[in-house]
Amino acid sequence: MRRHFLKIVVWALCGVSLPVCWWPLRAGAQAAGSARTKSEASLGQNDDAESDVETIFPHTFTGRYWVSGQANVVLQGYGAFRAKYNGPNSLTNWAQSATTHLLTLYTGYELSQTTEVFLDIEDATGNGVGDENGLAGYVNLDVVRLISGVPRANAPYVAQFMLREIIPLTSERVAADRDELDLATSLPARRIEVRLGKMDLTNFFDVNTYGSDSNLQFLNWTVDDNGAWDVASNARGYTDGVIAEYDDRSRSVRFAEAVMPKTPFGRFLDADLARARSENVELEARGKHIFHRDGAVRVLGYLNHADMGNYREANAEFLDGATATPDITATRREGRHRYGFGLNLEQEITETFGVFGRLGWSDGHNESFCYTEDDRTLEVGGLVKGRPWRRSSDHAGVAFVVNGIVAAHQEYLALGGVGIMLGDGGLTYGQEKIVEAFYTAHLWRGFSMSYDFQHVNNPGYNEARGPVSVSAVRFHTEF
């Protein structure tokens, strides 16, 4: 099946992209997919000719077609670490390593000046370290997790399939970057955009120039995304939904109605919107208010509806002797909600250096359902391009994250309960603290290699375990 997938890629490159792709590359274009990839930082993009060639094949500015792709391979491991005890969802504490592979083929077509359609094919294989459990801020965003004994599908699948409609509100137009999710090279200065289909919401909400790209930037789940946002998605990171967005020169407002999975981390989505759905809204303001350089502030809110369990009920049933261990699944009820808010900041400081941060809060009463077990998160970080040391296409970054959970969630884990990511059989609570640093070296055209280091104190909020240090080597190519 993998050979068949590679044949598709070769056919697409040779049979479709060559007639339309031999044009100058838009600097900084990045892939997007379940690796949650967003636009790369604009820092120093035009420093020299090297930064203008960051894919194997250049992409067209004018053709109706878009064909590109990416491959991301992450080799990750850690040494043995202290653990007073282990549970069913613990990060296993012996020395180990694991490798993930993520291949994506992006295609797009302009049906008209205002209508675009996109189809992306993806193949995700490999495993994560630590049995892919035991951390709220898990260390590899390329990992695809399925629970309840459901095996992974080791075959290519449709990642995104959506329609984009642009509704002009003025005749004035502004220049726009062209990439795998946006084909128009100019847009109305004021407009409404509608996207409909299968998509990854993190490609459009909570985007951050300096901290959203697991292909070339950070790898941790709660660095690349707001950990307290229980983003509607299946186990692969995708959902069906519709996004309506209003854009002006310096501000945007976007709203999404999306489908929730049938079960936590489930592979299948629940089509009954009366029972399960997710509303998401984000306000974004952009400008040059600090140092006359680009900056942005984004405020996110979400409300999820699903058959969720409740931590307090699960604790009470166990303490009353109704269950042998606290069991969140036994308390699931239709009509339950989980809601939260997020703040996303980014600011360019110089041509080669920018800073970013996130703040996240969720009510935490009902179970984590789609992403990770994180009710509170605070993140700060920075990214620098390599121009000062004459490596303008290289970049390095460092980020610090603190994650936490509410009291009922703490008690649930302390009593021996198991969640979608956590469950050590007990808990001595402490905030999960993560430091991540990386360096990405651009080797040639679309090829790069990275070293990533993560240090985690209190993995899974447990002072009885850890700390653990995780190292990774990442190989990435784009075409």
Side-chain angles (χ1 to χ4, degrees), residues 61-80:
F61 283 114
T62 58
R64 285 194 166 191
Y65 290 95
W66 176 275
V67 178
S68 66
Q70 68 88 31
N72 209 47
V73 179
V74 178
L75 296 81
Q76 201 166 49
Y78 58 78

Side-chain angles (χ1 to χ4, degrees), residues 373-393:
E373 295 187 56
D374 189 2
D375 302 324
R376 308 286 189 269
T377 187
L378 171 65
E379 172 189 6
V380 293
L383 185 143
V384 60
K385 295 285 282 189
R387 181 180 178 184
W389 55 94
R390 298 184 179 181
R391 294 282 301 175
S392 60
S393 291

Side-chain angles (χ1 to χ4, degrees), residues 122-241:
E122 193 167 82
D123 188 19
T125 57
N127 299 293
V129 292
D131 291 334
E132 304 164 3
N133 287 312
L135 293 168
Y138 190 71
V139 291
N140 184 357
L141 197 51
D142 279 6
V143 165
V144 175
R145 293 193 72 245
L146 294 177
I147 62 172
S148 303
V150 180
R152 292 181 179 85
N154 292 318
Y157 52 87
V158 175
Q160 299 190 104
F161 182 34
M162 62 182 163
L163 182 74
R164 179 196 189 193
E165 183 67 30
I166 303 166
I167 304 171
L169 299 179
T170 179
S171 59
E172 180 185 2
R173 301 189 72 83
V174 295
D177 289 334
R178 180 179 172 92
D179 58 31
E180 64 285 337
L181 294 176
D182 307 273
L183 301 185
T185 55
S186 71
L187 292 167
R190 287 191 302 110
R191 64 192 181 277
I192 293 174
E193 293 191 18
V194 178
R195 293 181 187 260
L196 173 67
K198 186 177 183 181
M199 64 186 69
D200 177 357
L201 288 183
T202 65
N203 285 328
F204 310 103
F205 290 77
D206 192 45
V207 177
N208 192 289
T209 301
Y210 310 120
S212 286
D213 183 354
S214 62
N215 286 346
L216 297 172
Q217 297 175 347
F218 301 95
L219 283 170
N220 192 279
W221 286 26
T222 55
V223 174
D224 285 332
D225 295 306
N226 192 318
W229 178 28
D230 203 23
V231 53
S233 61
N234 61 15
R236 291 168 172 163
Y238 300 100
T239 185
D240 297 331

Side-chain angles (χ1 to χ4, degrees), residues 239-241 257-263 268-277 305:
T239 185
D240 297 331
E257 187 75 37
V259 178
M260 293 283 287
K262 291 183 177 181
T263 58
F268 301 105
L269 298 171
D270 192 338
D272 186 352
L273 294 181
R275 179 177 60 195
R277 64 188 184 277
H305 314 251

Side-chain angles (χ1 to χ4, degrees), residues 20 93 104 112 136 153 261 283 418 423 440 450 475:
V20 300
N93 67 312
T104 316
S112 69
L283 311 178
V418 175
T440 297
S450 307
F475 299 94

Side-chain angles (χ1 to χ4, degrees), residues 86-146:
N86 293 291
N89 272 6
S90 290
L91 184 75
T92 50
N93 67 312
W94 52 85
Q96 58 193 277
S97 62
T99 304
T100 58
H101 321 84
L102 184 68
L103 308 175
T104 316
L105 175 66
Y106 305 99
T107 65
Y109 183 71
E110 288 185 279
L111 299 173
S112 69
Q113 289 186 340
T114 60
T115 306
E116 303 167 356
V117 63
F118 303 90
L119 173 64
D120 303 337
I121 307 296
E122 193 167 82
D123 188 19
T125 57
N127 299 293
V129 292
D131 291 334
E132 304 164 3
N133 287 312
L135 293 168
Y138 190 71
V139 291
N140 184 357
L141 197 51
D142 279 6
V143 165
V144 175
R145 293 193 72 245
L146 294 177

